[in-house]
Amino acid sequence: MSAGDKKSKSKKSAARKRAAQGVSLTDALAEAAWSEADAALAQALADFDEADTADGKAARKDAMARLGQALSRAGRKRGLARVGELDEEVDFDAEAYDLNAAVAKTPKTVRIQARGVTRGGEMLAKPRVAPVDRNKRS
Amino acid sequence: MSDWTLCIDFGTAYSKAAVAPTGAWSRFDPASVRPLMLSADGQNTFLLDSAVFVDEDRVLFGRAALNEADAQADNKRAALRSFKTLLSVSDLDRALNTNAPATIDPHRVFQMRDLIVLYLAYLLASIERAITADPILAQGGTFSRRYAAPAWRSGDSAGMHDVIVRLFGEAEAFRTAVGKRLLSPDGLSLRAISEALPKAMERAEALEMGLIFEATAAAAYTSVGLEGSGSHMIVVDMGAGTTDIAALARLGPRTIELPEARVTLKQAGDFIDRVIANRVLESAKWAKRQDERTELWSVLMRQMGDIKEAVMADGRATLRNQGRSITLSFRDMEKDEDFREFEKSLRQAYDHALAVVRDDARARGRSDVQAIAVGGGASTPFIQALIRRKMESTRPRVIPRPATPDWAHAREFRGNLAPVFAQLAIAIGGALAPDSMLAARSGISPPANDRSGIPVERD
């Protein structure tokens, strides 16, 4: 048997082994989806350190912009989508929003402080809202 | 009748393949879709690098070819890539019979045809390996094959299809001759190739393969489950080199393209890259010297995928060069005259195609037209705005479809198909599409875009 034949045989048995082990399609898809998200998350971690240790407002603002960008990219690579618009005023619904403040009375109208996150129709994090402060409105 | 349908998406940068049970489009179960794990290495096993590298005494394929090309870049050596671009030239025979340039083949023994056949043989061997490794597909069954391609613009799609199934036939004969040696990470020796390739090419027969246009494949994965309501579709496909707009109508068991709706714009992803790079260079006032501008340009090009994605999805991107941060917003891009001109041309082209497809739908008594955006630019805001625009007249309605179909979020995939769907979409759509959507069924079938003058009747 030639070396090439041996190689071919070992590859064949490896392929059969994978088949017998039932290589999960979803696991392979997950690995593919994570491969790019991993790079973006690594970038975000480094950007966070820069933001955390930045000297001065401008440097911090830049680092925060890059951090946000890397996190958004990681989210997109995992199929995550944002819900709502920052500062948007909406009718409060306890099912749809997380109230980000201690209040004595349930507010009617709230302002979105942090957007929610969904994936394929599944809400992973509800938008965080706070009561509208009428005194602060112009 | 076969048990499974395999579709190969022979891409510019990567090749992909997917399998679906024959008839899956009308009896759809998301779990039955099987993208193939073509690549043995790398984290994304579904993407097979489209690359061939001719080394000193052997030929390398895929990722190994790219790695070796990188290692020898200083010696003016390069891997052959972008076969797809070559396959779409108007005089294909002439292009295939051209000798490969010395940077690609220093021995000057290969014609472009040989290298493409070698790559296709590697691709077919990778598909075979992936099927063997798939726990469901490995159980056996018969496969019918097809490949996806853009609708060629030279007007001789029939001739092109015949050439391509012939190339696949030669590749299959070569693969049979050399066996799994093709998949060795060390590549294949020049000696083995020179012994087997001429004989294989001589005795090869055209492979039985169908052809599906990429726009139709997109329509197939989008219209799964829509049945009657998905009879008319407008597809905007923004890739790297061109933006294509096509209109399709499903008439009973057949799907036809409405040829008068087809428009191709030469501006697409690569054009957007240049607009972004030029805007950044313009705003980077500190980069005055030529070497500084060259350095910034190469940084931009290296990171362009991420920059473009951030500009399109988040409205702005921030990058760093020489310790300085540069921010570019989508609004900055809209100030670019060339970009504005492109947006205008795109709108006009879309309006023209939409008018054609709506007229056809109206004449056939249909009430809806589905609007689909595909390709790398599918989720850009101006493409999404285009397909979501409100129409003056309400009938037929234009219904925008999401770039990633709802079924890609099915529980079976545990959230993992949707993030990579765009990369695999054409292969999956091509595997799902019923035979009636094919542009050509075998080497001798006339392509669908030659079928014009089909009388409009209410059906």
Side-chain angles (χ1 to χ4, degrees), chain B residues 110-250:
Chain B
F110 292 119
Q111 292 188 329
M112 297 302 264
R113 178 186 199 97
D114 302 325
L115 295 177
I116 289 177
V117 166
L118 289 174
Y119 178 75
L120 290 181
Y122 168 71
L123 172 60
L124 290 172
S126 302
I127 288 171
E128 182 70 26
R129 177 178 59 190
I131 287 173
T132 313
D134 186 296
I136 293 176
L137 301 175
Q139 290 170 19
T142 54
F143 288 78
S144 66
R145 292 186 273 205
R146 52 182 69 160
Y147 69 97
W152 291 306
R153 289 167 283 280
S154 65
D156 184 21
S157 294
M160 296 264 194
H161 178 58
D162 289 348
V163 174
I164 286 172
V165 291
R166 174 81 201 168
L167 289 171
F168 269 109
E170 291 169 4
E172 180 67 6
F174 181 73
R175 181 183 78 92
T176 307
V178 298
K180 288 186 175 155
R181 281 183 290 166
L182 259 170
L183 296 176
S184 163
D186 301 328
L188 205 53
S189 71
L190 286 175
R191 189 173 166 187
I193 292 169
S194 63
E195 279 171 8
L197 189 61
K199 285 183 210 157
M201 283 176 144
E202 217 169 89
R203 64 169 178 261
E205 287 175 15
L207 209 60
E208 280 292 314
M209 286 185 99
L211 158 65
I212 185 159
F213 289 145
E214 288 171 1
T216 317
Y221 69 70
T222 305
S223 61
V224 155
L226 292 179
E227 296 295 339
S229 63
S231 74
H232 284 73
M233 283 161 266
I234 181 164
V235 182
V236 184
D237 179 2
M238 184 168 157
T242 59
T243 303
D244 297 285
I245 298 175
L248 304 165
R250 192 147 44 82

Side-chain angles (χ1 to χ4, degrees), chain A residues 41-109:
Chain A
L41 278 176
Q43 191 73 46
L45 287 170
D47 289 335
F48 174 77
D49 278 354
E50 268 197 51
D52 203 28
T53 58
D55 289 332
K57 264 188 179 175
R60 190 181 179 82
K61 196 178 158 199
D62 277 348
M64 286 299 287
R66 287 197 304 277
L67 169 60
Q69 189 171 302
L71 282 174
S72 292
R73 194 163 77 242
R76 277 195 299 276
K77 300 296 181 195
R78 291 296 306 149
L80 307 182
R82 294 278 181 69
V83 182
E85 293 293 331
L86 289 175
D87 283 331
E88 188 185 357
E89 287 187 15
V90 291
D91 293 338
F92 180 66
D93 172 357
E95 291 288 309
Y97 303 107
D98 272 338
L99 191 55
N100 215 7
V103 288
K105 195 179 155 197
T106 307
K108 270 191 176 174
T109 309

Side-chain angles (χ1 to χ4, degrees), chain B residues 376-428:
Chain B
S379 50
T380 53
F382 54 94
I383 298 273
Q384 284 298 316
L386 203 61
I387 68 168
R388 287 168 199 285
R389 213 154 31 114
K390 285 206 171 133
M391 296 291 119
E392 281 170 19
S393 63
T394 51
R395 292 271 159 172
R397 279 186 309 166
V398 179
I399 303 173
R401 309 292 307 175
T404 300
D406 293 340
W407 63 262
H409 298 284
R411 282 188 185 283
E412 292 89 329
F413 302 115
R414 284 184 263 143
N416 295 312
L417 177 60
V420 291
F421 188 83
Q423 295 169 330
L424 308 173
I426 298 300
I428 289 175

Side-chain angles (χ1 to χ4, degrees), chain B residues 171-430:
Chain B
E172 180 67 6
F174 181 73
R175 181 183 78 92
T176 307
V178 298
K180 288 186 175 155
R181 281 183 290 166
L182 259 170
L183 296 176
S184 163
D186 301 328
L188 205 53
S189 71
L190 286 175
R191 189 173 166 187
I193 292 169
S194 63
E195 279 171 8
L197 189 61
K199 285 183 210 157
M201 283 176 144
E202 217 169 89
R203 64 169 178 261
E205 287 175 15
L207 209 60
E208 280 292 314
M209 286 185 99
L211 158 65
I212 185 159
F213 289 145
E214 288 171 1
T216 317
Y221 69 70
T222 305
S223 61
V224 155
L226 292 179
E227 296 295 339
S229 63
S231 74
H232 284 73
M233 283 161 266
I234 181 164
V235 182
V236 184
D237 179 2
M238 184 168 157
T242 59
T243 303
D244 297 285
I245 298 175
L248 304 165
R250 192 147 44 82
L251 311 174
R254 288 196 309 163
T255 298
I256 59 158
E257 182 178 355
L258 304 173
E260 62 274 31
R262 176 166 280 279
V263 184
T264 294
L265 300 173
K266 284 183 179 165
Q267 297 94 338
D270 293 345
F271 164 80
I272 304 281
D273 292 357
R274 284 194 300 277
V275 170
I276 289 176
N278 286 328
R279 297 300 299 183
V280 171
L281 275 180
E282 234 169 76
S283 66
K285 303 287 181 208
W286 80 90
K288 286 183 183 137
R289 293 201 320 265
Q290 190 56 41
D291 61 323
E292 289 171 332
R293 296 177 75 76
T294 306
E295 144 83 11
L296 179 55
W297 182 270
S298 67
V299 167
L300 280 166
M301 287 302 147
R302 269 203 308 276
Q303 299 178 16
M304 187 50 81
D306 292 342
I307 296 169
K308 186 162 61 177
E309 190 186 308
V311 170
M312 296 302 167
D314 303 332
R316 66 178 179 177
T318 302
L319 72 147
R320 199 152 53 158
N321 178 240
Q322 308 269 350
R324 292 179 173 90
S325 276
I326 310 162
T327 298
L328 177 81
S329 69
F330 187 68
R331 282 186 183 173
D332 293 330
M333 268 186 70
E334 286 182 312
K335 288 177 193 158
D336 187 278
E337 209 167 295
D338 291 342
F339 181 74
R340 281 210 305 269
E341 198 57 41
F342 166 57
E343 274 194 306
K344 192 175 154 196
S345 309
L346 184 64
R347 252 194 323 271
Q348 285 171 346
Y350 182 80
D351 287 348
H352 161 76
L354 190 60
V356 171
V357 69
R358 289 181 92 203
D359 282 352
D360 195 86
R362 202 177 289 121
R364 294 178 199 278
R366 299 304 176 102
S367 55
D368 298 334
V369 169
Q370 313 287 324
I372 310 158
V374 298
S379 50
T380 53
F382 54 94
I383 298 273
Q384 284 298 316
L386 203 61
I387 68 168
R388 287 168 199 285
R389 213 154 31 114
K390 285 206 171 133
M391 296 291 119
E392 281 170 19
S393 63
T394 51
R395 292 271 159 172
R397 279 186 309 166
V398 179
I399 303 173
R401 309 292 307 175
T404 300
D406 293 340
W407 63 262
H409 298 284
R411 282 188 185 283
E412 292 89 329
F413 302 115
R414 284 184 263 143
N416 295 312
L417 177 60
V420 291
F421 188 83
Q423 295 169 330
L424 308 173
I426 298 300
I428 289 175

